[in-house]
Amino acid sequence: GRGGGGGRSSRQVGPTTTLTNSILATLSPGFKFYQYTIQSVDKNDKEISSLGRRRQIFGIGINSVLKKLTEREREELKTQIFFQGSTFFSSKPIPGLEAYRLPRQICDGTETDLDVIIVKGVQCFGPPTEMRIPAPAASSSEVVVDFRCSGCTKAFKDMPQLLQHCKQTDHSPEQLDDKIEPATRPIFLAYVNCALKRAMSLRMKLWGQFYFDESSGKDLKNWKGDPLGVTLYRAIQTEFSLATGKVQKIPRLLLTLDLRAKLIRTKSLLDTFYEGFDPKNSYNFSKNEQTQLRKKWVGSVVISKVDKKCFSVHDIIFDHSPATLMIDDLKMSHEEYFAKRKNYKLRYPRTKPMIAVPGRNKSIIYLPAEIVCGDELDPKVKELLPKEASFTPKDRDDAIQKVKRFLRPGEQKSKGGSFLPALGIVIKETRLEIPAEVLPIPFMKMYNMNIPADKGSNWGNLMSKAKFSGGSSTINLSPIVVWNTTVQWENVYNKIRDSINGFESRFRMPKKPYLDICVGPKNHWKEVQKNFQKGAKLPQNVFVIDFVNPKMGDRDLDYPTVKGILGQGGYLSQFVNFKKCPHHNPRNDKDKKQSHTIICRVGAQIINKCGILSWFVQIPPTIPLPAMFVGIDVFHAPRTYNPATKTKSAKESVAAIVALIVDSRQGTTFEVKCYQQTFKQKKIGQEYHLGEALQTTGTLAIKNIGIKPKSCFIFRDGVGDTAVSDTIKQELPFIRKAVSPSGDVPLAYMVCQKRIATKFVRKSLNEGMPAGKSWCVVSVSLCSVIGTNELFRKVHWCRTLIRLLGTVPSI
C-alpha cells in the first residue's frame, strides 16, 4: 500500500556525483582532414562488390602513388590513410592525388588481374559548423599554428618542443586555414572513429570491435585445477560520439571506454571430436557418429586460431585429412598451404576430418579441425564467468588510464604514441563527472513479512520465513512428477513439498505425488505427450514438476516442446534445474545452502503460478492512480539443425507484453489487474519495432480491465545504448495512442540493462555507486538513469527517458 507511514525515507543517502567511463576530447585549432571518393571496377568495367577485394586493390594502388617517397615517409603517411570501401580518409593531402590531377587510376591492373581503382575526387573538411571555435586573431604578418608537425605524425605539449623538433627534422608546424568547408556530423564521426581505431591498433590487437592485450590472457580452470579449454582476455571497447550538455549547447567530442571480458576457446574441434582418443591415430567415425557430429556443428560459428576469423560450418569432411585434401588451384595439400602460406605447422596433418566453411565469392574452403574452435561456451565455463569476468571499478580505471597514456601528446615515445594528437584530436585528463541522486529503495514486503532495509541486496533468502495465511479453506494440488534415472526425485520432491506447505497458503502438496513418469535422458517429450494427450483421465488441480536432468554439458532441448504440450492442455508446470546444483545429492555445505535457497524460490514460484501474489512494494503517494505498469521482453528461439539444408535455423522471435493496472479502491488497499499478450515477430532475432504490439496490448488491457490509467510506466528489456533513442522514437508514440491520445497522462519509459558498474563509479574509484540497498538516479541531459542490483537480480540499471514527476517533455 501507500498509506500508513512507515515508508523509507526519500532523503539522499549517498554521493551527489558519479564518474562515468567517458572522457572529453578537444580539437586543435588547425584540425582538418581529407575525404577521397573512389571507384573499384573489374576487367569487364563492372563494380567490384567485395570489400576485401577492394581493400586489396587499394593497398596495391596507394603503394604505387607513394612510390616516390622514402620508405619512412611512405609508411608514416599510410598510417594516416583510412580505407572505407567507396571512400577513404587522410589526415594530410596525398602527393599525386591533388584535386587538379583527379580523376586518376592508381593501379594499372598488372598485379590485380586487370581490376583497378579510380580516385574520382577529393574534399578537405574541418569540424562541423556547430563545433567550430573562432581561431585566435592574428596580424597580417603573423601565421597562427597549433602544436602539431605538418611533416609527420607528432604532436607536442608546447611551442618550444614543437620548434625544436622542426629545427631537427626540417619540418614545419601545422598552420590554420579558416576557409575549410565544415564536415557533416556523420562524416566527422566516421573520420575520428577511423583515427581512433588506427591509434588503438598501433598498440593493441583488434578482435571484432574490441582491442586486447595478448599478455592479459588467463587460462580458466575448474575447481580441480583442470583446464577448461578457454582463455579470457581483458579487452577495451572505444568510441567517439558527440554530446550536448544542458548549459553548454556546443556539441562536445566524447570518448567512451569500456573494459570487457573476451573469451576464446583453445579446445579445438579436433580435441572435441577425439575426446578420450589420441588424435595422432586417425579415427574412422561411424555413420551414426558422423550424423550426430554434423547435427551438432553444421551451421555453428567457429573461430580460426590462426587469424581469429569467424566462419559458419558448412559441412564436415570425414574422408580427408590436411595431408590428403588438395587445393586444386595451388596444386598443394592443405598441410603444405598452412606451412608455406600461413607459416603454421599443423600438429596432426594426417588426422581426419576437415571442416568446410564458406569462402570468398560463394566458394567453399576447408580448414583443419585442429585450428578451429567452437564459439559456444560449455555450461561449466558459463558458471565461472560471473567470477572471472567481473572487473572492479579500480580495474576499469586502470584500463582507462592505460589507454589515455598513449592517446595524449608526449606521453609515449613508442609505436603509436601521440597518434591522435598528431591528427588534431586531444584527449582531456579527467573523466566526465555528472550529478547523481542516491535514494533508498522502496518499502518492500513478501505478503505479511517486511523486508529489512539492510537486506535489500539479498532478500531471496528470506522467502522460507514468509506465511501466506491460507485460512481454513485449502486446495490440494495433484502433482505429477516427470523424472529419469539420473535423479533421485523422491528426496527433491519432499523438499519442494515441505517448502510449499511451509508457506501456509491455500495450496498444499500431498505426501506423495499423484503420478510419477519415468522417461529417458533424451526425447522425453514423447512420454509426456503420451500421458497428457487429449482424453487422458487426470484429476483436478494437476501441477507438473519436471525433474529431468539433461546430460552434463547439454541443454534441455525438450524444454520448449514439453512446455508447449502442457500449455496446450492447460496444465501448470515447473522445471527444476540440476545444472548449478545437484539437489538430490549435494556435494558439500555450499551445495546444501545453494540448494535450500533454490528450492525455496521454486516453492514460491509454484504458488505464484497457482495465483498467490507474494511480493508487494510501496507506491509513492505522488504517483497518480490508477497506474499502468507495462513489461516488455523478447524471446529468441535457439537455432536447431535442419538435415535437409545442413544448416541451423531458428523460428521467429516472440515478444511478450504484460500490462498491470493498480487501482486504489479503499485508500490503503490495492487491487491489481493483469492483461498479457504475445506477438510473433516478422524476423528471426527481431528485438525492436514493437510499437504496434504495444498499442494493441495497451488498448485491449484498458478495454478488458475497464479502468483508464492516470499514469503509465513502461519497462523495456533488450535495448542496447546505441538503440535507445531510435526505440523511444518508434515505440513511445504508439504507447501514448493507447494510454492517452490527448497527452494528459504522464509516461515513464525505462530501459533495463546490465553492467551498471561499467558506467558509474564513486570518485574514490574503490567501488561502484550504491545499488541493492538504494536506487541511483543519474541526470544526463534530458534523460535520467536509475540503477539497482535487485528487484530482479539481472537488472542492474535503467535509463529513464521521461521522468514521471515534474514537467513531461514533449517527444
Side-chain angles (χ1 to χ4, degrees), residues 446 463 468 499-500 503 574 598-610 612 614-615:
M446 185 174 182
M463 284 184 173
F468 290 89
S499 174
I500 292 173
F503 287 135
Q574 177 69 40
I598 294 174
I599 291 298
C600 286
R601 297 190 180 192
V602 168
Q605 183 77 359
I606 289 175
I607 64 172
N608 285 164
K609 291 179 178 180
C610 292
I612 297 294
S614 56
W615 286 104

Side-chain angles (χ1 to χ4, degrees), residues 688-722:
Y688 311 120
H689 301 290
L690 296 177
E692 294 180 358
L694 281 166
Q695 182 179 355
T696 300
T697 304
T699 303
L700 292 177
I702 295 172
K703 180 180 179 181
N704 285 279
I705 296 175
I707 299 175
K708 183 175 176 58
K710 295 183 179 179
S711 60
C712 182
F713 296 81
I714 301 95
F715 296 86
R716 181 71 157 90
D717 192 15
V719 179
D721 289 344
T722 57

Side-chain angles (χ1 to χ4, degrees), residues 220-223 228 263 377-390 552-553 577-582 587 590-591 594:
L220 299 187
K221 299 180 180 180
N222 62 14
W223 63 279
L228 294 173
L263 297 99
L377 296 176
D378 295 332
K380 293 179 182 178
V381 177
K382 291 180 180 179
E383 289 181 14
L384 283 175
L385 289 184
K387 175 184 175 182
E388 299 290 346
S390 297
M552 187 57 66
N577 194 327
F578 289 76
K579 289 181 182 178
K580 282 191 174 182
C581 180
R587 295 164 295 193
K590 181 181 178 181
D591 279 356
Q594 187 179 29

Side-chain angles (χ1 to χ4, degrees), residues 52-298:
R53 181 59 176 165
R54 286 186 177 205
R55 189 185 301 276
Q56 183 182 22
I57 303 170
F58 176 76
I60 296 172
I62 205 68
N63 282 332
S64 175
V65 172
L66 304 178
K67 63 183 178 181
K68 293 184 179 180
L69 302 179
T70 65
E71 183 178 355
R72 181 176 179 178
E73 292 173 335
R74 183 167 58 250
E75 293 303 317
E76 195 165 69
L77 184 54
K78 284 169 66 176
T79 61
Q80 304 172 59
I81 297 174
F82 316 120
F83 175 75
Q84 291 289 287
S86 58
T87 63
F88 69 91
F89 294 114
S90 176
S91 63
K92 300 182 183 297
I94 299 176
L97 295 181
E98 294 82 2
Y100 70 88
R101 295 178 182 267
L102 304 181
R104 177 186 172 186
Q105 181 176 309
I106 62 174
C107 65
D108 57 14
T110 55
E111 300 180 51
T112 57
D113 297 329
L114 301 181
D115 294 344
V116 298
I117 288 264
I118 303 170
V119 181
K120 307 287 286 187
V122 61
Q123 194 163 6
C124 183
F125 289 112
T129 303
E130 57 270 32
M131 292 185 65
R132 303 195 78 168
I133 300 174
S139 64
S140 57
S141 60
E142 292 179 329
V143 176
V144 180
V145 300
D146 58 23
F147 300 151
R148 294 186 293 145
C149 177
S150 63
C152 60
T153 53
K154 288 189 177 180
F156 302 88
K157 291 183 176 181
D158 50 38
M159 184 60 74
Q161 291 183 7
L162 172 62
L163 294 178
Q164 182 180 3
H165 166 79
C166 292
K167 183 178 180 180
Q168 294 173 348
T169 58
D170 199 26
H171 292 171
S172 60
E174 188 74 48
Q175 300 181 12
L176 274 65
D177 185 354
D178 288 333
K179 299 178 181 180
I180 300 174
E181 181 179 347
T184 62
R185 282 196 178 199
I187 292 178
F188 170 74
L189 286 175
Y191 170 73
V192 294
N193 276 300
C194 284
L196 176 63
K197 290 179 180 178
R198 181 61 53 84
M200 294 293 295
S201 64
L202 291 174
R203 297 298 302 272
M204 305 177 80
K205 284 203 170 186
L206 178 64
W207 184 347
Q209 298 296 319
F210 301 87
Y211 298 87
F212 74 101
D213 185 356
E214 286 186 298
S215 63
S216 68
K218 177 183 178 182
D219 294 328
L220 299 187
K221 299 180 180 180
N222 62 14
W223 63 279
K224 294 181 180 179
D226 299 328
L228 294 173
V230 174
T231 302
L232 182 145
Y233 293 93
R234 292 190 173 193
I236 293 286
Q237 185 179 27
T238 60
E239 184 182 21
F240 275 125
S241 60
L242 290 176
T244 304
K246 284 185 176 180
V247 179
Q248 188 174 0
K249 300 301 181 182
I250 298 176
R252 295 180 295 177
L253 190 60
L254 206 63
L255 173 63
T256 301
L257 302 100
D258 195 7
L259 179 64
R260 298 287 186 88
K262 295 292 289 183
L263 297 99
I264 184 169
R265 293 192 62 169
T266 55
K267 185 177 181 179
S268 68
L269 262 61
L270 190 68
D271 297 330
T272 304
F273 294 170
Y274 280 74
E275 196 81 56
F277 297 94
D278 187 358
K280 291 181 180 179
N281 303 316
S282 189
Y283 175 75
N284 292 319
F285 294 88
S286 66
K287 292 292 184 183
N288 183 52
E289 289 172 330
Q290 293 181 22
T291 301
Q292 292 301 319
L293 288 173
R294 283 194 173 102
K295 184 176 181 179
K296 181 175 182 179
W297 290 101
V298 171

Side-chain angles (χ1 to χ4, degrees), residues 442-744:
F443 175 74
M444 294 173 58
K445 64 188 300 185
M446 185 174 182
Y447 200 72
N448 59 353
M449 182 181 65
N450 296 344
I451 304 299
D454 60 346
K455 298 294 183 181
S457 62
N458 193 22
W459 44 260
N461 293 328
L462 301 175
M463 284 184 173
S464 59
K465 300 178 181 180
K467 304 297 178 184
F468 290 89
S469 303
S472 58
S473 175
T474 60
I475 298 175
N476 292 318
L477 300 176
S478 300
I480 296 179
V481 174
V482 181
W483 61 283
N484 66 26
T485 54
T486 63
V487 175
Q488 300 172 9
W489 67 270
E490 295 93 342
N491 183 28
V492 186
Y493 172 81
N494 292 339
K495 292 179 182 179
I496 295 176
R497 178 202 62 206
D498 295 343
S499 174
I500 292 173
N501 294 341
F503 287 135
E504 298 181 3
S505 70
R506 285 190 303 155
F507 299 96
R508 305 296 173 93
M509 282 278 192
K511 187 175 182 180
K512 293 184 178 181
Y514 170 80
L515 177 67
D516 63 273
I517 304 171
C518 182
V519 299
K522 290 186 177 181
N523 297 327
H524 77 274
W525 63 271
K526 294 181 180 179
E527 286 294 326
V528 174
Q529 188 179 51
K530 178 180 175 182
N531 285 272
F532 290 90
Q533 61 186 344
K534 189 175 182 180
K537 295 182 180 180
L538 296 173
Q540 293 183 341
N541 305 324
V542 167
F543 197 104
V544 180
I545 304 178
D546 195 314
F547 285 140
V548 174
N549 184 25
K551 187 178 179 181
M552 187 57 66
D554 293 343
R555 292 180 300 175
D556 189 356
L557 300 178
D558 289 343
Y559 172 81
T561 306
V562 174
K563 273 289 187 181
I565 294 171
L566 298 175
Q568 289 176 1
Y571 300 109
L572 296 175
S573 61
Q574 177 69 40
F575 279 59
V576 179
N577 194 327
F578 289 76
K579 289 181 182 178
K580 282 191 174 182
C581 180
H583 302 290
H584 59 294
N585 186 25
R587 295 164 295 193
N588 47 44
D589 291 339
K590 181 181 178 181
D591 279 356
K592 291 179 181 179
K593 185 177 180 181
Q594 187 179 29
S595 177
H596 174 72
T597 300
I598 294 174
I599 291 298
C600 286
R601 297 190 180 192
V602 168
Q605 183 77 359
I606 289 175
I607 64 172
N608 285 164
K609 291 179 178 180
C610 292
I612 297 294
L613 294 178
S614 56
W615 286 104
F616 296 85
V617 65
Q618 184 184 46
I619 296 180
T622 52
I623 293 179
L625 295 180
M628 174 184 278
F629 297 84
V630 181
I632 310 164
D633 201 0
V634 180
F635 170 75
H636 304 294
R639 296 188 302 167
T640 56
Y641 177 70
N642 185 338
T645 60
K646 293 184 178 181
T647 59
K648 282 189 174 183
S649 58
K651 297 180 180 179
E652 291 83 354
S653 301
V654 176
I657 303 175
V658 178
L660 295 175
I661 293 185
V662 179
D663 184 23
S664 179
R665 298 281 187 193
Q666 300 176 5
T668 60
T669 61
F670 279 84
E671 183 176 345
V672 180
K673 295 185 178 181
C674 177
Y675 179 86
Q676 60 187 17
Q677 196 164 352
T678 57
F679 297 86
K680 186 177 181 181
Q681 298 293 79
K682 296 178 181 179
K683 298 179 181 179
I684 296 173
Q686 182 179 339
E687 189 77 55
Y688 311 120
H689 301 290
L690 296 177
E692 294 180 358
L694 281 166
Q695 182 179 355
T696 300
T697 304
T699 303
L700 292 177
I702 295 172
K703 180 180 179 181
N704 285 279
I705 296 175
I707 299 175
K708 183 175 176 58
K710 295 183 179 179
S711 60
C712 182
F713 296 81
I714 301 95
F715 296 86
R716 181 71 157 90
D717 192 15
V719 179
D721 289 344
T722 57
V724 167
S725 179
D726 290 340
T727 304
I728 291 295
K729 292 177 181 178
Q730 196 277 327
E731 294 181 354
L732 197 60
F734 288 93
I735 299 172
R736 188 171 291 284
K737 288 179 184 178
V739 177
S740 174
S742 60
D744 58 340

